[in-house]
Amino acid sequence: MFCFFLLNQKTIFVNNYKICYMKTFFLFFLLFCTLSAFSEDGYDLWLRYAPVENVNLQKTYRNQVKSIAFNANTPTLEAAKSELKTGLSKMLGFQPEFAEITNNTGNLIIGLPDNFEVIKENTGTEELNDISREGFILRQIENNNLIITSNTEIGLLYGVFRFLQIVQQELPLSGLNVVDSPKTQVRILNHWDNLNRTVERGYAGFSLWDWFRLPDVIDPRYIDYARANASIGINGTALTNVNANAQILTPVYLEKVKALADVFRPYGIKVYLTARFSAPIELDNLPVADPLDPLVQEWWKKKAAEIYSYIPDFGGFLVKADSEGQPGPHNYNRNHAEGANMLADAVAPYGGIVMWRAFVYDQHVPEDRTKQAYNEFMPVDGEFRENVILQVKNGPLDFQPREPFHPLFGGMEKTNIMPEFQITQEYLGFSTHLVYLAPLYEECLQSDTWTKGEGSTVAKAIDGSLFGQKLTGMAGVSNIGTDRNWTGHPFGQANWYAFGRLAWNPYLGSRKIADEWIKMTFTKNHAFVEPVTEMMLTSRETAVNYMTPLGLHHIMAAGHHHGPGPWVDGRRPDWTAVYYHRATSEEIGFDRTPGGSNAVGQYHQPVADKFGNIETCPEEYLLWFHRVPWDYRLKSGNTLWDEMAFRYNQGVNEALAMQESWNLLADYVDGQRFKYVQSLLEIQTKEAAWWRDACLLYFQTFSNMPIPDGVEKPVKTLEYFMGINELYMPGHH
Ligand code: GCU
């Protein structure tokens, strides 16, 4: 649109109606700016770089960046410089001057310690050692000059992004002294993207990777994807679905992967691929894929060499094996360590790693599904190569709205372990529900495993501080797709952001992350920030209330997983709902105490006892660990049945409250995003009521108790809800 007016301006000069048309142009331009201020499609994420509103601060910032000494002579540094230019000009309304010469005249001085004497003088060797490879120092020094330094170029890029975020949030610069470095090494998005561009459990359109047009067409969106990730410290991307297709390992596709890797490299992002364990059979007709077979080992070594010939900094493999029908070492009576190590040996010469998933269970194993991964992996603790890292879902089942932490955290002490969180909302309302997931991630990270006494949190078990692992990381199953706003729900962006921030620093709090994100994504106005922070912080508990209160789990609809389905039965038991809630007319819940499946026995003491005793088990996990009579009295004094009904109802009320609270905020947010979120919240409230009514009507057939006063009575029948058959849900193929 802007170009259009510029073109018009040219014509205007030719026609010699300069002044009059210039005015028109100016008016149109103003109109355009105003319109664009009131209409945003969310594409810019948290990198909007809105003009600084506080006039005094704007002056301070301008003074601080009057001149920038930054010798940007490599792709990474050029990326940092270009970000600075874009960010500062948008936020401060002027183009800062870059001084290429390496003297110390800049007000903002950016470089490695060797680049500038003034940086050396103002940083200590020890602190530089402490920030390792990717950390940075952002410091105001004497004369109010500001330095950004690091041991590496990527660290400088991260420092520049942090500086821009400080300005975006309108934080003071005086006395600024940020010394920060990531606490985990591999901070990676897992894209469950198929080669035909569908996305398993993806609710934001199709896959970003346009395999058909790659490697020739480089969608500018790839660069924006890299910018967004780098801005929060994400340094890896597994491009393909864990339910893997071996074709990705063939030359035709490797060319395409190389093209993406070339785009991402300046931003410090490595690419990883999912390796289908049976690839040697499928691609080259080997008779077996046995990890101990020398021919198979040789095949993977050659494959690794081939991949590295395209992508010298290829990150490595992500593997789902022996789970949900995927091939794996079990096919040859080998264990997971033998499978993982074979791949690890193939990529080791090039510095590659293997992320081996612990999401392993088998319907033919007559054991509580939540116990199977632990049983499978504990015996091989210590047997994995040092470039293998076990990727463990936050809970022992499958990304449910609430699960206790996975007992492998704090269980395996001699194996590198990284948590896997789901950012895409498979079980949390897809991309129509506002559910801020940082509290879920934080709850897991802050859980105390007690492995080495009190305070042995999951965060410490995975960042190397408890067991001294050499390789650390965190994975997030991406919620990104081709939707213009990337994540479908504008608030889904917050979950991508939160994942990145927590992967960088697993000790950050959900509130702080929400605050940063809101200010950069919407506005710094308190009248907006405060209510929206509250909405976000409570939204996860709200979803738990209207979906799976009191430790209920896996009661969603079958297959696509959208909406309630507590009645789901008649398929492999571990994929039904009845396997998990086990409701009868007397009681409900899964007995995982020593008298039941004894899943509690996989936790250290005193956690095992706490979970195992109905009196001490936190009520949010009650039906996860216990079978509880319908008339059992909870802490509130209510019977289990009444409490369940109240919680479901509360969830709906809270969803409604979010809607009401958002409705008051129209003045603070552009019309487009305001209306879109408004419509989505309406869907959420409707679906919350759907969950409540369907679940209460269904469970009532067991409890035979009346829906208590104060809980809205369902208008529709159970048959109605059971008859809902949603055929064409996104993310399910
Ligand atoms: C869930 C999900 C699957 C996915 C699996 C996994 O079960 O529904 O689509 O493949 O997790 O994590 O491997």
Side-chain angles (χ1 to χ4, degrees):
M1 201 173 181
F2 184 41
C3 295
F4 167 77
F5 285 120
L6 282 179
L7 281 179
N8 261 10
Q9 187 187 12
K10 240 186 191 166
T11 336
I12 291 158
F13 277 103
V14 173
N15 290 345
N16 222 4
Y17 292 115
K18 191 170 147 189
I19 297 169
C20 172
Y21 278 91
M22 275 301 283
K23 265 191 193 155
T24 321
F25 163 75
F26 187 65
L27 278 176
F28 269 115
F29 180 63
L30 266 186
L31 183 71
F32 165 72
C33 293
T34 325
L35 277 181
S36 59
F38 286 102
S39 153
E40 289 195 43
D41 58 19
Y43 181 85
D44 290 338
L45 297 162
W46 49 89
L47 301 171
R48 287 163 64 246
Y49 300 127
V52 169
E53 284 161 14
N54 179 324
V55 183
N56 286 337
L57 260 182
Q58 183 173 88
K59 239 190 243 156
T60 314
Y61 292 148
R62 280 186 183 207
N63 281 338
Q64 188 73 76
V65 299
K66 255 191 312 221
S67 147
I68 302 178
F70 185 14
N71 197 0
N73 48 11
T74 66
T76 296
L77 298 181
E78 274 163 17
K81 184 170 173 180
S82 136
E83 198 70 31
L84 260 181
K85 275 189 183 166
T86 315
L88 292 179
S89 62
K90 281 187 169 180
M91 291 189 286
L92 305 180
F94 84 123
Q95 271 299 346
E97 198 185 303
F98 281 85
E100 294 289 347
I101 319 133
T102 57
N103 58 22
N104 300 340
T105 55
N107 295 89
L108 172 59
I109 304 149
I110 306 171
L112 305 174
D114 282 346
N115 297 151
F116 297 98
E117 206 47 47
V118 64
I119 289 184
K120 250 200 213 139
E121 283 163 10
N122 283 282
T123 49
T125 324
E126 219 169 275
E127 62 178 358
L128 283 166
N129 283 340
D130 283 351
I131 60 168
S132 69
R133 283 194 62 258
E134 297 172 286
F136 57 83
I137 297 171
L138 181 53
R139 175 170 293 159
Q140 201 178 48
I141 56 170
E142 77 270 14
N143 308 331
N144 287 340
N145 279 347
L146 198 69
I147 57 167
I148 302 179
T149 190
S150 166
N151 295 314
T152 62
E153 293 182 0
I154 292 301
L156 289 182
L157 177 70
Y158 289 157
V160 164
F161 270 116
R162 186 65 63 82
F163 173 62
L164 289 169
Q165 285 159 9
I166 287 170
V167 178
Q168 267 182 293
Q169 293 170 63
E170 302 195 12
L171 300 171
L173 295 182
S174 98
L176 192 70
N177 187 16
V178 182
V179 182
D180 199 10
S181 56
K183 297 204 184 324
T184 69
Q185 293 155 14
V186 183
R187 304 176 298 278
I188 185 171
L189 288 182
N190 287 185
H191 290 270
W192 287 357
D193 293 15
N194 298 314
L195 300 184
N196 64 4
R197 292 193 82 177
T198 55
V199 180
E200 182 153 345
R201 311 309 177 183
Y203 315 107
F206 288 92
S207 169
L208 283 189
W209 326 132
D210 187 353
W211 295 114
F212 177 61
R213 292 187 183 87
L214 278 164
D216 302 302
V217 176
I218 299 297
D219 187 335
R221 205 161 175 167
Y222 302 148
I223 299 169
D224 289 331
Y225 166 85
R227 288 173 53 228
N229 280 324
S231 76
I232 47 176
I234 290 174
N235 67 0
T237 176
L239 299 172
T240 45
N241 193 351
V242 286
N243 295 320
N245 183 334
Q247 287 302 314
I248 193 68
L249 303 176
T250 59
V252 163
Y253 278 98
L254 291 176
E255 283 278 359
K256 299 168 191 277
V257 175
K258 171 190 170 7
L260 288 175
D262 289 345
V263 174
F264 300 156
R265 187 169 297 110
Y267 293 89
I269 298 168
K270 284 187 182 182
V271 301
Y272 298 74
L273 294 174
T274 46
R276 187 161 161 84
F277 207 75
S278 51
I281 303 173
E282 285 158 32
L283 297 182
D284 280 317
N285 294 319
L286 260 63
V288 290
D290 181 351
L292 298 194
D293 184 322
L295 283 179
V296 175
Q297 294 170 352
E298 202 40 43
W299 188 90
W300 281 107
K301 283 192 173 136
K302 277 205 186 122
K303 185 49 75 183
E306 186 185 1
I307 298 174
Y308 279 95
S309 74
Y310 288 95
I311 309 150
D313 56 353
F314 176 63
F317 295 126
L318 168 63
V319 189
K320 172 175 177 177
D322 294 320
S323 174
E324 299 187 330
Q326 295 301 306
H330 281 181
N331 300 136
Y332 308 96
N333 290 323
R334 312 295 183 201
N335 65 35
H336 284 274
E338 289 166 325
N341 290 345
M342 185 248 321
L343 292 175
D345 290 343
V347 293
Y350 315 92
I353 65 164
V354 170
M355 291 166 291
W356 190 269
R357 296 178 83 229
F359 181 65
V360 168
Y361 66 100
D362 182 350
Q363 60 167 328
H364 303 295
V365 175
E367 176 64 284
D368 174 1
R369 174 173 154 190
T370 68
K371 288 180 67 184
Q372 293 187 25
Y374 184 95
N375 290 346
E376 187 77 45
F377 285 94
M378 280 306 282
V380 287
D381 188 17
E383 290 181 18
F384 291 91
R385 298 278 192 269
E386 57 187 25
N387 61 332
V388 174
I389 184 161
L390 203 64
Q391 189 170 302
V392 180
K393 288 190 182 180
N394 57 287
L397 183 53
D398 190 7
F399 296 139
Q400 293 299 294
R402 170 165 276 127
E403 296 190 29
F405 69 92
H406 202 300
L408 283 173
F409 300 123
M412 292 179 88
E413 299 182 34
K414 292 174 283 187
T415 301
N416 304 317
I417 288 202
M418 67 199 286
E420 173 180 331
F421 292 110
Q422 198 174 40
I423 311 174
T424 191
Q425 292 170 230
E426 175 180 359
Y427 301 102
L428 282 146
F430 289 14
S431 55
T432 37
H433 292 207
L434 190 167
V435 185
Y436 174 50
L437 294 173
L440 185 160
Y441 306 157
E442 191 184 355
E443 184 173 286
C444 170
L445 292 165
Q446 290 310 316
S447 294
D448 199 342
T449 69
W450 277 84
T451 311
K452 295 201 165 175
E454 190 169 8
S456 307
T457 58
V458 171
K460 288 187 193 160
I462 58 103
D463 76 355
S465 55
L466 203 59
F467 307 130
Q469 294 103 328
K470 293 282 172 310
L471 181 60
T472 58
M474 198 184 285
V477 180
S478 156
N479 61 348
I480 302 167
T482 48
D483 275 10
R484 181 68 190 161
N485 71 9
W486 303 85
T487 55
H489 199 306
F491 278 77
Q493 298 176 357
N495 295 333
W496 176 7
Y497 182 84
F499 166 75
R501 295 291 282 132
L502 283 167
W504 177 280
N505 181 356
Y507 302 91
L508 287 179
S510 305
R511 179 177 288 275
K512 176 180 163 42
I513 298 172
D515 184 74
E516 294 172 3
W517 179 79
I518 297 170
K519 287 179 174 157
M520 296 191 287
T521 307
F522 288 104
T523 170
K524 281 135 289 193
N525 194 324
H526 283 302
F528 181 88
V529 176
E530 274 167 32
V532 174
T533 307
E534 289 318 310
M535 272 171 65
M536 288 173 71
L537 288 177
T538 51
S539 60
R540 187 281 186 124
E541 206 59 45
T542 296
V544 169
N545 282 335
Y546 64 70
M547 288 178 170
T548 54
L550 296 167
L552 284 169
H553 49 286
H554 210 285
I555 55 168
M556 67 291 164
H560 52 67
H561 299 165
H562 185 256
W567 46 79
V568 171
D569 199 358
R571 49 205 329 249
R572 58 180 273 193
D574 54 357
W575 284 0
T576 67
V578 296
Y579 172 96
Y580 297 96
H581 65 67
R582 300 177 175 222
T584 64
S585 55
E586 273 84 49
E587 47 190 12
I588 179 172
F590 200 121
D591 185 357
R592 296 193 165 107
T593 68
S597 80
N598 197 22
V600 294
Q602 295 183 336
Y603 293 96
H604 286 275
Q605 289 298 9
V607 185
D609 278 353
K610 183 175 155 195
F611 287 163
N613 180 341
I614 193 166
E615 297 292 324
T616 54
C617 179
E619 282 183 351
E620 64 258 34
Y621 302 131
L622 193 62
L623 303 178
W624 183 284
F625 288 116
H626 297 274
R627 281 190 73 61
V628 183
W630 289 110
D631 57 2
Y632 180 82
R633 295 268 162 201
L634 298 189
K635 295 197 180 83
S636 59
N638 295 324
T639 62
L640 171 67
W641 166 252
D642 281 359
E643 183 72 19
M644 187 184 280
F646 289 137
R647 299 262 180 133
Y648 269 113
N649 201 55
Q650 188 184 336
V652 181
N653 289 341
E654 287 164 346
L656 194 62
M658 284 209 278
Q659 218 186 323
E660 286 165 354
S661 152
W662 182 259
N663 285 343
L664 300 174
L665 299 173
D667 289 350
Y668 308 102
V669 54
D670 56 284
Q672 192 172 341
R673 286 186 300 170
F674 176 77
K675 285 211 187 73
Y676 191 40
V677 171
Q678 192 176 41
S679 323
L680 293 173
L681 286 170
E682 211 169 293
I683 299 179
Q684 184 167 4
T685 310
K686 268 193 261 174
E687 294 190 349
W690 171 28
W691 270 92
R692 175 194 60 197
D693 294 351
C695 291
L696 287 181
L697 285 173
Y698 171 75
F699 289 129
Q700 193 181 30
T701 65
F702 298 95
S703 80
N704 290 309
M705 292 161 97
I707 291 181
D709 288 345
V711 175
E712 212 172 302
K713 309 281 177 298
V715 179
K716 301 207 167 81
T717 63
L718 178 59
E719 289 63 43
Y720 166 81
F721 290 117
M722 289 177 69
I724 294 176
N725 184 8
E726 298 180 292
L727 286 179
Y728 304 107
M729 286 287 102
H732 182 247
H733 312 287

